[in-house]
Structures are given as structure tokens and as C-alpha cells.
Amino acid sequence: MEEVEIPSFFVCPISLQLMKDPVAVPTGITYDRESIEKWLFSTKKGTCPVTKQAIPDCELTPNHTLRRLIQSWCTLNAAHGIERIPTPRPPISKSQIAKLLREAKSPEMRNKCLKRLRLIATENATNRCCMEAAGAADFLAALVKNETSAFNCGSLEVTSRPLDEALAVLFHLQLSEASLKNLISDGGVFVDSLTRIMQSGTCESRIYAVMLLKSMFEVADIIHLSSLRMELFVEVVRLLRDQVSLKATKSALKLLIRACLVGRNRVKAVEACAVPVLIDLLLDSCDRRQSEVILILLDELCRCADGRAELLEHEMGIAIVSKKILRVSATASERCVSILLSISKFSATPSIVQEMLQVGVAAKLCLVLQVEGSSKTREKAKEILKLHARAWKNSPCIPAEFLSSYLA
């Protein structure tokens, strides 16, 4: 391969390697399919890498002429160790997807069609884009809503193979923002269906349900977030308690953070017992990133009085928050200090102030003032120390120089 110079027009502008499946974009530039798909779908860039022009609908057209030229060149240079590239399998078409969706309407064909759709969705990003354009998301969402409406959550488990497959396909489609907004804009019916699945579905379907909800909430506006039902928070917290999978736990945490942008949702999460569950997760977590996400959510919940009360009621609440201050990123450290500041301002009874001293809060805050970090974090730490200066002034945890420098 080193002895043979590859013609420049056979080389992909992105990978700089010989193209195996050349495809042209609407701007007229040809790329290797794998490279341009990664550019367009994995990195979410909707422009041509060479011309920087927008690519509408991520349309890719196979360049058959160039592929045949490359194959011929490979054959001519076989003596130099050049292997002939195989003819790529033609990509799936909208008409093929539409046919599968029509066949899936038949109960007898449904399982087979859904399995085929799942396989197509997991193959590559082009297939997913084609499926979305063919209306697969709407069909699958309607199927989920119909399947869950047939069950009474109080007496029957929401278990059916088509339901599990439909949820799996929806998740693997990695839907665009527009499609996700469409799912959440049906008056809450689809969100209620996913809530019902989390309540009574199989383990697999519960995981897919919470991951779908997380993706939907990332693009949802405040109006839709404001209309979330209490049942949803109960089921998300239950899923956190069950710890069915690491992916499900992370999705549930991010879902709650997004939902708690709305004040009333913080109260709902607290009423669903989120705070003690989060503290228990924090105590058991060995994953630094997960710990940081938990602290972000705890900070949101401690913005309401009930959230602070729940944290203070837990025997390890204050201790675990203070313990994490210097063991997480600067952003998460600021969240820890923010939680302690909320407690100091609004919930600091004499016994709580003494508990903070006993579990090492004062000492940790002094360390925060010494280490490099956010000036906002240091200001918050200083404010807490000033608030409790009288109660903590005789503590050996606070060096004398801090009393004169920061507590004056």
C-alpha cells in the first residue's frame, strides 16, 4: 500500500483514507459514507465539512461511478497488495420502512416487523434518519399509547413483547429535537404511557422509558415541564431506589434535574421521597460523575423548605454533603457549598449548627478558602463561616488566622 499513491479524488476529505462507500452530499462534495455519517450524526453537525454549507435533511446520494472507478483501480493494483473493496449493501429506503410500518399494523406480523425495525435502527445513522423521515416515531409512539391504555396499572403488569420492542426501537432511533418535541406535545398522553410502563412494565421497558423521558425533557419547554404529574416523580424515584441499571440511574437523575427547573416540580420530587434516596445513592456511589449529578439535583431540591428538611432529617445528610466538597469537580463543589449555605440561611437551628461543626463542615469550609477554586464558591464558604462565627469561634477546627481574616 505504501508503494502505490492513491489518486486524490479517491480519498475521503474527512478520513484522508481510500473511500469504500463514496456518497455525495447536496453541495456536490463526495465523502466516504462512514466518515460523513459520523460527522453529521454523531457530532450533530449539519454542514458540509469542505464548503461549510448547510446540508438539508442530511441527504446522502451513493456515487456509483466513483465507487466503480475505485474498485477498478484496486483490481489494477492488486499486485501491490491493494485489496478490492466490496460493493456496499444499498441503504434502506423510505419505501421499505413504510412497508414495514404498514405490515406492523397487523397483530400477526407486529413482532417480526418491530424486530426488523430495531435491527435497521441499530445499523447506522442513515437508517435512523430514514426511519424518522418515514414516520416511524409517530407510529411507534401510537403503538406504545395503545398498548399501555389496554392495561389497568392497579391489577395487571404492563408486559407485552410488542411494547418492549416498540420502546427499544424508539430509543435506538436517537430522535431529532423536532420529533422529541412532537412526542411531548400530545397533551401528556405519551408521558403518561411511559409513566405507566415505569410503574408496571418489565425491567427492560422501564429502562427504555426513563431514557426516552430524559431525552424528551431535554428539549421540553417550561409549559410542558410544569404539567408533569406526581405519579411520574414517584416512579422515577422508585427506579432510582431500585438501581436497575447505571444508564437508567443516570437518565433518571438528569430527568429530575431538568424537571426541577420548575419550582413546583421540586416539591413533587421531595414529596416522592427523592432526597433520602439521593443521599443513600451518594453514600454508595463510587462513580465521581454520578456523585456530581446527585449533588446538582440535591442543590435544586434544597431550594425549597421541604427539601432542606428532608436532608436534615437524614442522619448522614449534612455529613455526606460536606465530605464531597473537596472530592468532586469545582462545579459540584460549589453545589455542595450552596446546599450548606441554604441550610445556614433558612434552617440553621442551634442543634443543626452544632451538627455541622461536629461532622466537619467548618473545617471543610476553611479548606475551601485555601484551595484554588471558584471565587463564587469561596464567597459562599466565607458567608457560611460568618453566619456561624459566634457558634464556631472557639472550635479548634478553625485556625486563629481565619478568625481574623474571614470572620471579622
Side-chain angles (χ1 to χ4, degrees):
M1 190 66 144
E2 294 77 18
E3 300 175 4
V4 182
E5 184 177 351
I6 303 174
S8 60
F9 50 92
F10 289 175
V11 175
C12 173
I14 298 175
S15 67
L16 303 181
Q17 301 295 320
L18 181 69
M19 288 186 278
K20 298 178 181 179
D21 185 7
V23 293
V25 298
T27 59
I29 310 297
T30 295
Y31 303 91
D32 189 57
R33 182 183 293 278
E34 183 179 353
S35 297
I36 192 62
E37 284 183 351
K38 184 176 180 181
W39 171 274
L40 292 172
F41 304 118
S42 299
T43 60
K44 305 293 184 184
K45 295 176 181 176
T47 58
C48 173
V50 173
T51 68
K52 308 303 180 186
Q53 292 176 283
I55 300 177
D57 301 323
C58 301
E59 184 183 344
L60 305 177
T61 304
N63 192 331
H64 297 300
T65 301
L66 182 57
R67 176 177 53 77
R68 293 189 186 101
L69 287 172
I70 293 173
Q71 288 178 326
S72 297
W73 179 83
C74 290
T75 302
L76 289 172
N77 289 277
H80 298 284
I82 305 296
E83 295 183 5
R84 185 178 185 276
I85 62 170
T87 301
R89 189 172 60 183
I92 204 77
S93 67
K94 281 179 68 174
S95 60
Q96 289 173 292
I97 299 297
K99 182 175 181 291
L100 278 171
L101 295 177
R102 286 194 302 271
E103 291 175 350
K105 293 179 181 178
S106 167
E108 294 77 17
M109 294 287 292
R110 186 164 296 155
N111 273 342
K112 182 179 178 181
C113 292
L114 289 173
K115 287 178 181 178
R116 174 66 180 145
L117 288 168
R118 183 175 183 175
L119 182 62
I120 292 170
T122 54
E123 279 184 347
N124 56 59
T126 300
N127 286 357
R128 293 191 286 273
C129 191
C130 179
M131 290 174 68
E132 187 173 343
D138 291 337
F139 172 82
L140 294 165
L143 178 58
V144 169
K145 287 185 276 192
N146 290 337
E147 288 284 329
T148 52
S149 66
F151 293 93
N152 179 344
C153 287
S155 58
L156 296 173
E157 289 189 353
V158 182
T159 55
S160 76
R161 199 63 225 164
L163 180 60
D164 288 350
E165 287 293 343
L167 280 171
V169 179
L170 264 176
F171 171 74
H172 288 297
L173 278 178
Q174 299 177 26
L175 295 172
S176 65
E177 181 175 333
S179 290
L180 289 169
K181 284 184 175 179
N182 187 49
L183 289 179
I184 206 169
S185 301
D186 64 350
V189 178
F190 189 60
V191 172
D192 287 345
S193 293
L194 295 180
T195 302
R196 185 173 295 184
I197 289 166
M198 286 197 295
Q199 183 178 31
S200 306
T202 62
C203 180
E204 181 183 23
S205 64
R206 291 175 69 202
I207 293 170
Y208 282 129
V210 75
M211 290 193 293
L212 273 171
L213 282 167
K214 187 267 293 184
S215 298
M216 290 162 60
F217 285 11
E218 285 175 349
V219 301
D221 56 35
I222 296 299
I223 294 174
H224 290 121
L225 293 176
S226 299
S227 61
L228 298 176
R229 299 177 187 273
M230 181 66 193
E231 291 81 1
L232 171 66
F233 293 91
V234 170
E235 294 310 320
V236 173
V237 171
R238 185 165 74 94
L239 191 144
L240 283 173
R241 186 186 296 114
D242 294 346
Q243 297 187 55
V244 294
S245 79
L246 185 59
K247 282 185 177 180
T249 297
K250 288 183 176 180
S251 293
L253 291 169
K254 291 177 180 178
L255 178 160
L256 288 174
I257 289 172
R258 177 67 180 170
C260 287
L261 291 176
V262 178
R264 71 182 72 175
N265 287 342
R266 293 176 196 145
V267 176
K268 291 175 184 176
V270 171
E271 290 178 355
C273 299
V275 173
V277 171
L278 292 172
I279 293 170
D280 290 340
L281 278 175
L282 199 56
L283 288 165
D284 296 336
S285 178
C286 297
D287 185 325
R288 175 173 165 170
R289 178 56 189 155
Q290 179 175 296
S291 297
E292 292 173 353
V293 176
I294 293 170
L295 288 167
I296 292 170
L297 181 53
L298 274 176
D299 184 28
E300 291 295 328
L301 297 181
C302 284
R303 295 180 186 222
C304 67
D306 290 344
R308 293 190 295 273
E310 287 288 311
L311 184 136
L312 294 173
E313 189 174 326
H314 196 293
E315 60 183 8
M316 292 298 294
I318 295 176
I320 190 60
V321 170
S322 65
K323 180 181 179 182
K324 294 290 183 180
I325 289 177
L326 299 176
R327 300 189 180 191
V328 290
S329 68
T331 302
S333 178
E334 183 183 336
R335 293 286 187 158
C336 291
V337 178
S338 180
I339 292 169
L340 296 172
L341 181 58
S342 293
I343 292 169
S344 296
K345 280 185 172 181
F346 308 112
S347 309
T349 64
S351 61
I352 293 299
V353 172
Q354 285 306 308
E355 181 184 349
M356 292 171 75
L357 182 65
Q358 289 168 6
V359 299
V361 170
K364 289 289 175 62
L365 293 174
C366 290
L367 288 173
V368 167
L369 295 175
Q370 296 179 70
V371 300
E372 289 188 14
S374 163
S375 59
K376 192 179 293 187
T377 304
R378 289 199 297 271
E379 286 302 315
K380 288 179 180 179
K382 192 187 300 185
E383 186 175 353
I384 297 170
L385 288 168
K386 285 184 176 180
L387 284 170
H388 306 310
R390 289 186 178 181
W392 293 350
K393 65 180 180 180
N394 295 321
S395 170
C397 297
I398 304 180
E401 60 267 23
F402 281 97
L403 290 172
S404 58
S405 300
Y406 295 104
L407 306 184

